[in-house]
Amino acid sequence: MIRAPLIALLGLSLLACVPESPVQSARTVRAASHPAPDNTSNFSARLLSAHNRARAEKGLAPLQWSATLAAAAEPWARTVASDGKLRHSDKESRPGQGENIWMGTAAFYDLEHMMARFVDEKRDFRPGVFPEVSATGKWQDVAHYTQIVWPETREVGCALVTAKKRDALVCRYTPPGNVFGQAIR
């Protein structure tokens, strides 16, 4: 009779010694080795700087930050973060505005990483008449980058929203870029 409780107690003790699953261990190690980035300090200055570095490489005029565009981007960033679907807003909901969107794991990527994903598309960019501007044959492969360096664009405003363990960055531009039939060098 004493054996059954003793066996049960030993079984519970053994369960307590079972290591975490590999997935749990990887998450724990990754979280411990990767502190959450500070994406609030100098938010607009950091994003504007990243945009203007890309433009300066092409000899283009710097963009100006627009609080109006940032405010317009926020509701869509909230939608994207909440539903987890990376897609553009309807053009009718943002007349006269271009748009870039990024989404990733919440509190894992800094603003510079987000912007680098847009700018990295320049590797496939080829000067030409839009949409014939990609070495891959798909203009969508360079559209974030071309929006950033569109010569006629003058203002940018961005919003970053966290929801459901996702960060969504939405940047709006005016005048919009990626205009079919227009040249971009």
Side-chain angles (χ1 to χ4, degrees), residues 5-182:
L6 182 58
I7 291 171
L9 183 57
L10 286 173
L12 289 175
S13 297
L14 289 174
L15 283 175
C17 294
V18 174
E20 294 177 294
S21 73
V23 173
Q24 290 170 326
S25 296
R27 286 183 188 152
T28 303
V29 169
R30 189 169 183 90
S33 66
H34 192 281
D38 175 7
N39 284 331
T40 57
S41 295
N42 303 312
F43 178 81
S44 59
R46 288 165 60 196
L47 289 169
L48 185 61
S49 177
H51 279 86
N52 286 335
R53 274 193 305 277
R55 292 178 66 85
E57 288 177 6
K58 297 186 72 58
L60 297 169
L63 298 178
Q64 299 299 311
W65 185 262
S66 167
T68 302
L69 289 173
E74 192 274 333
W76 191 246
R78 185 165 312 289
T79 297
V80 170
S82 295
D83 68 18
K85 296 177 183 173
L86 189 63
R87 67 197 185 288
H88 286 283
S89 60
D90 294 328
K91 286 187 179 185
E92 296 78 34
S93 71
R94 53 180 167 91
Q97 297 176 7
E99 182 174 71
N100 276 345
I101 304 170
W102 178 95
M103 181 173 52
T105 303
F108 194 80
Y109 300 97
D110 62 24
L111 298 173
E112 290 74 17
H113 174 90
M114 297 172 198
M115 284 299 302
R117 298 298 66 82
F118 295 155
V119 175
D120 284 349
E121 293 174 357
K122 72 181 173 184
R123 71 182 172 276
D124 292 322
F125 171 73
R126 300 297 175 263
V129 174
F130 197 85
E132 303 299 323
V133 294
S134 176
T136 68
K138 295 175 169 178
W139 63 267
Q140 296 90 337
D141 292 342
V142 298
H144 297 102
Y145 176 69
T146 54
Q147 173 57 81
I148 290 169
V149 298
W150 198 262
E152 288 78 24
T153 298
R154 296 292 174 250
E155 295 182 313
V156 62
C158 305
L160 178 66
V161 173
T162 301
K164 297 186 179 177
K165 300 182 181 180
R166 291 183 283 266
D167 280 342
L169 175 70
V170 174
C171 294
R172 295 279 178 88
Y173 304 84
T174 190
N178 297 343
V179 179
F180 281 66
Q182 288 191 6

